[in-house]
Amino acid sequence: MLDAKVGGNPLPLEPFVNWLDQHGRLKFSGLADQLHAEIPELGAADPDTLEALRASIVSHLPGMRATFMGSNPDPHLPKPAQDFAYLMARSNIPLSAVLRSYELGHAAIWNEFTSHLRKQQSWTVARRAEALESGSIRLFEYMQSMTGETITTYNRARDSLMRATNSRRNEIVRAVLSGNGGVRELRELFGYRIDEVHIGYVAWSVDPMKHEEVSELARRELLGFARQHVSVTTDSSVIHGWFTPCKNSTFDDLAAVSLPRTIRLTLGSPRRGIRGFHHTHREALSCVDLTALHTPAPTRFPDVAVTVLATQDREMAARFVDDHLGALRSHEDGERLIKTLRHYMDAHASPTRCGQRLGIHPNTVTQRVQRAETILGRHLDPASLALRLALDLERTMELE
């Protein structure tokens, strides 16, 4: 009898090895057809997938046999299995489908072996039970090791492909933005037409742990609004993207979108054609410094355009704010009074609506406005563009 040793204890694994020697190649080859038929993603893939899957499964025979003999304590993924993982990554087959093939394959191999073990009539029940237990452990360890290496191989291939794709997409987008071509490549390689209406956006995460997820999160948030979409990732894990809105009201609808807590999003105005592609991108970029630290909705360029223009010279903007709000900013109660003034202006000088926003009595709103006027030494005109702009600029300076 062939014995394998684990930790110095002999384990009777002869039936595994005998079964593999007698039926392994035929069973493993047939298993490929079964998995190809049962896993939809594999069945819908390129026709070459079946043969690559077959080669991958059969390539496990030597390593599995050595494992059952106890001479393969550190198995490695066979080359054909590595090639299959790379093929799946390149073909954009989800990792879950690849892992499903290992799960179903494991179950199929185990069912075949237990059926073979039942035929060992000369063996005692105790001996068959021991072989069943030992074989189960060894097969599980082997499949777990192979699954882990497959995940690593697949992810390495996906990362490499994504870097290459993003690098090429970055190159094309830079060419479009600089006016040096790229329009045809953007359409042919990424399916994005430049003669449409575009909304440019910038997305990023305030949580460093979520940087790698920004692209997918942004894509998911915009999915229902976009007829076509393209994005690139900068070195700082910030996403620059463009999409064509599904309908005329899309830009207005985006104002009401509630973003995930860690995501920030700025939007340029809808613009058409190659010039629009460039202009909406610049508008989205210009909004980045004005985006509040805790905002549940996207920051749209038209909503902050005056502030953007006024902050082109930061030093002059700071002096402007100081001229209009300096005494209030330095006052011990200034933060609360300035916040009240912002809501008061947004509520069109209505103490009632302002009080509802702040959760205070309208009389309290009136008292705070009057106190702010006393501190500043002048009447505050709700229709004053200068006052509204000073309040908006003061808020951006809080973020710096």
Side-chain angles (χ1 to χ4, degrees), residues 131-196:
L132 194 66
E133 180 181 2
S134 301
S136 174
I137 293 172
R138 192 62 65 85
L139 180 60
F140 175 80
E141 290 175 345
Y142 178 83
M143 296 301 291
Q144 187 177 46
S145 178
M146 294 301 97
T147 300
E149 288 202 24
T150 296
I151 293 172
T152 299
T153 302
Y154 180 95
N155 286 337
R156 187 184 298 121
R158 287 293 296 168
D159 289 345
S160 177
L161 289 168
M162 289 179 66
R163 284 194 298 270
T165 300
N166 194 59
S167 176
R168 179 59 175 149
R169 190 186 294 120
N170 268 326
E171 179 183 329
I172 292 171
V173 168
R174 281 197 299 269
V176 175
L177 291 174
S178 65
N180 295 322
V183 172
R184 179 176 58 82
E185 292 85 349
L186 194 63
R187 182 183 69 252
E188 293 180 355
L189 297 180
F190 301 105
Y192 194 91
R193 297 180 60 88
I194 207 70
D195 55 347
E196 300 276 2

Side-chain angles (χ1 to χ4, degrees), residues 283-348:
E283 290 172 354
L285 283 174
S286 70
C287 298
V288 169
D289 291 338
L290 305 181
T291 301
L293 293 176
H294 304 287
T295 177
T299 300
R300 304 182 308 165
F301 177 77
D303 300 331
V304 295
V306 173
T307 307
V308 168
L309 295 173
T311 53
Q312 296 304 300
D313 188 320
R314 309 295 287 186
E315 184 178 346
M316 290 186 68
R319 287 201 300 269
F320 179 84
V321 172
D322 195 56
D323 288 343
H324 286 78
L325 300 172
L328 204 55
R329 295 184 79 199
S330 60
H331 193 276
E332 61 181 3
D333 201 25
E335 182 177 347
R336 184 175 65 169
L337 295 177
I338 288 174
K339 179 180 179 181
T340 300
L341 284 179
R342 286 201 192 103
H343 284 282
Y344 181 69
M345 298 288 282
D346 290 342
H348 303 289

